[in-house]
Amino acid sequence: MGTPHPHRTLSVVVPTFREAANLPALAERLNEALGESGINWELLLVDDDSNDGSEAIAQQLAKRLPVRMAVRREASRDLSLSVLQGIGLARFDHLVVMDADLSHPPERIIDLLRALEEDGCDLALGSRYATGGTLDRAWSPWRFLTSRLATLLAQPLTHCADPMSGFFATDRRRLPDLEQLRPIGYKIALELVVRGDLQVKEVPIGFSERATGTSKMNARQWINTARHLHRLYRHRFGGWARALWFAAVGASGFFVDVLFYLGLQWAGVNHQVARALSFWPAASWNWALHRRITFREHPHRPPTRQWAEFVAVSLAGLSVNLGTYLALTGWTDFFDRYRLLALTCGFFLGGGVNFLMSSLYVYRRQTASSLTQTPSGAGS
């Protein structure tokens, strides 16, 4: 017999989208992990209208296990919104949130609840990167790199080793007002921790690769993650957040810049020509991310006009960027030997010009008069 746990009731909230194949195994493993713990538990599945047989499977499971399903029949699918709905529908105040794909081990739920009780924290987080945590060796180097990059970007917002984890336990009564939350995508724990200023205890877990189905992380979700991080930076750091995020986007553009700079030289292009050409793919990359993320909430003027303004700013930044590079490599032997250092200096000086002109010119907020101005002849 298992040892009775202080938390006598528990709602396990699991957002789902096309996870029908994983639901029976998830329910069985939860039953094994919690069945002899003395906890009165439920599995609440919140489905994003998968239309894959998940509802029928949940109904069959409910005949012998405490399983129920709520279906969000809305146009926009979003894991975080599913979790928030599940928190609102849960029967019990003690909550565990986890994924349906079995990457989060149900066997560690008791450890999360114990940390929540004994350490007096607001949220116990299952951590891949805390001491003792592990990752599945089936992960590709690319997936590991992107995971670590996302974690690195999120760490200034918290003191957690794994702030992007989606496996956690909490008490609903300690959470911030759910109506005030603004999550996008998959990282609901980060939203709760940052906006609720919650005290977190990390519990190391072994993170497994999903057994069946396909990952929902695609380019759209990565964009949503970046947008979410930008929102939380603005919440945490206020007016400095835009400059910080502009720098983060610029750093990614710097990688694109260097990649093309070296690639062009490898193809036989002169280094000065390569320096001029590599700017454009980097500038296009930055433009796309700034438009979607950094200045997203600013009103967008007609695309043609705004694009022309962006080109003007890009040319100004390019002149500073390229001029710095040519001056440094042409006037000093040191920078001619270390051309990447000269490229870096030019990049940051040009980036400063781009930030100032983008903020004050390309993405400037419209004045009240410009917003209310009526086109000539309108209404006559």
Side-chain angles (χ1 to χ4, degrees):
M1 292 291 291
T3 302
H5 197 273
H7 292 307
R8 298 292 186 178
T9 58
L10 176 68
S11 291
V12 181
V13 177
V14 178
T16 64
F17 179 63
R18 296 178 181 170
E19 296 286 358
N22 289 316
L23 300 185
L26 173 65
E28 293 295 346
R29 285 180 62 179
L30 281 170
N31 189 45
E32 292 175 7
L34 301 174
E36 296 184 354
S37 64
I39 297 174
N40 180 19
W41 63 280
E42 67 162 342
L43 169 58
L44 174 55
L45 304 166
V46 187
D47 189 71
D48 252 337
D49 199 14
S50 298
N51 196 28
D52 65 343
S54 292
E55 293 179 69
I57 292 173
Q59 290 172 359
Q60 288 297 316
L61 291 170
K63 294 178 180 179
R64 56 187 182 84
L65 295 172
V67 176
R68 61 191 178 106
M69 175 175 281
V71 181
R72 295 180 66 248
R73 304 192 190 279
E74 300 179 18
S76 60
R77 293 188 170 98
D78 190 285
L79 179 145
S80 291
L81 297 180
S82 295
V83 171
L84 293 182
Q85 181 171 324
I87 291 174
L89 293 174
R91 291 194 177 114
F92 308 120
D93 287 326
H94 294 120
L95 306 168
V96 164
V97 175
M98 63 189 301
D99 289 348
D101 60 8
L102 301 174
S103 58
H104 299 147
E107 297 75 18
R108 299 309 302 274
I109 288 177
I110 295 297
D111 297 315
L112 292 177
L113 295 176
R114 187 171 291 113
L116 196 65
E117 179 72 20
E118 296 177 357
D119 294 307
C121 61
D122 300 312
L123 186 143
L125 190 69
S127 176
R128 301 163 292 181
Y129 300 126
T131 302
T134 61
L135 288 170
D136 196 311
R137 292 184 178 180
W139 268 26
S140 67
W142 172 251
R143 187 173 179 188
F144 177 79
L145 178 63
T146 54
S147 174
R148 293 301 289 178
L149 176 61
T151 298
L152 182 65
L153 289 174
Q155 281 181 331
L157 299 167
T158 73
H159 299 290
C160 301
D162 191 6
M164 308 299 271
S165 173
F167 184 30
F168 61 92
T170 189
D171 187 318
R172 180 164 51 190
R173 294 163 293 189
R174 301 181 190 178
L175 298 180
D177 181 2
L178 301 186
E179 296 296 325
Q180 303 302 314
L181 301 179
R182 299 181 60 212
I184 310 173
Y186 283 25
K187 307 307 177 185
I188 184 61
L190 183 65
E191 175 80 6
L192 293 171
V193 169
V194 174
R195 293 194 187 272
D197 198 24
L198 304 183
Q199 295 297 314
V200 178
K201 170 69 175 181
E202 291 188 87
V203 176
I205 64 167
F207 187 88
S208 302
E209 186 59 89
R210 64 165 51 243
T212 63
T214 58
S215 173
K216 309 304 186 297
M217 286 302 293
N218 51 30
R220 181 185 181 90
Q221 289 302 330
W222 283 116
I223 290 292
N224 284 341
T225 298
R227 289 176 55 203
H228 189 201
L229 286 172
H230 179 239
R231 285 184 181 183
L232 293 177
Y233 265 81
R234 292 189 61 195
H235 173 80
R236 177 71 81 193
F237 300 112
W240 287 99
R242 196 181 307 282
L244 288 171
W245 196 255
F246 195 96
V249 172
S252 69
F254 178 65
F255 175 79
V256 175
D257 201 339
V258 171
L259 187 66
F260 275 85
Y261 171 74
L262 295 176
L264 288 168
Q265 289 187 79
W266 177 82
V269 177
N270 174 271
H271 76 93
Q272 294 177 335
V273 176
R275 173 77 286 269
L277 294 177
S278 67
F279 168 83
W280 292 104
S284 299
W285 171 270
N286 286 353
W287 159 250
L289 291 185
H290 289 318
R291 181 176 176 85
R292 292 290 302 275
I293 301 170
T294 314
F295 297 99
R296 181 182 177 88
E297 78 284 1
H298 284 207
H300 288 175
R301 295 186 301 282
T304 302
R305 177 181 174 182
Q306 196 169 53
W307 174 251
E309 293 171 348
F310 171 73
V311 169
V313 167
S314 296
L315 289 173
L318 174 62
S319 64
V320 173
N321 191 332
L322 183 57
T324 300
Y325 177 82
L326 294 177
L328 290 176
T329 57
W331 295 347
T332 66
D333 292 337
F334 174 82
F335 281 107
D336 192 45
R337 290 196 305 271
Y338 300 100
R339 293 169 181 170
L340 272 178
L341 183 59
L343 183 151
T344 302
C345 293
F347 178 85
F348 281 107
L349 287 174
V353 170
N354 280 340
F355 176 69
L356 289 175
M357 296 187 69
S358 293
S359 300
L360 300 176
Y361 180 54
V362 178
Y363 295 102
R364 66 186 181 276
R365 291 190 181 274
Q366 293 174 287
T367 62
S369 59
S370 66
L371 290 172
T372 58
Q373 185 176 6
T374 303
S376 176
S380 59

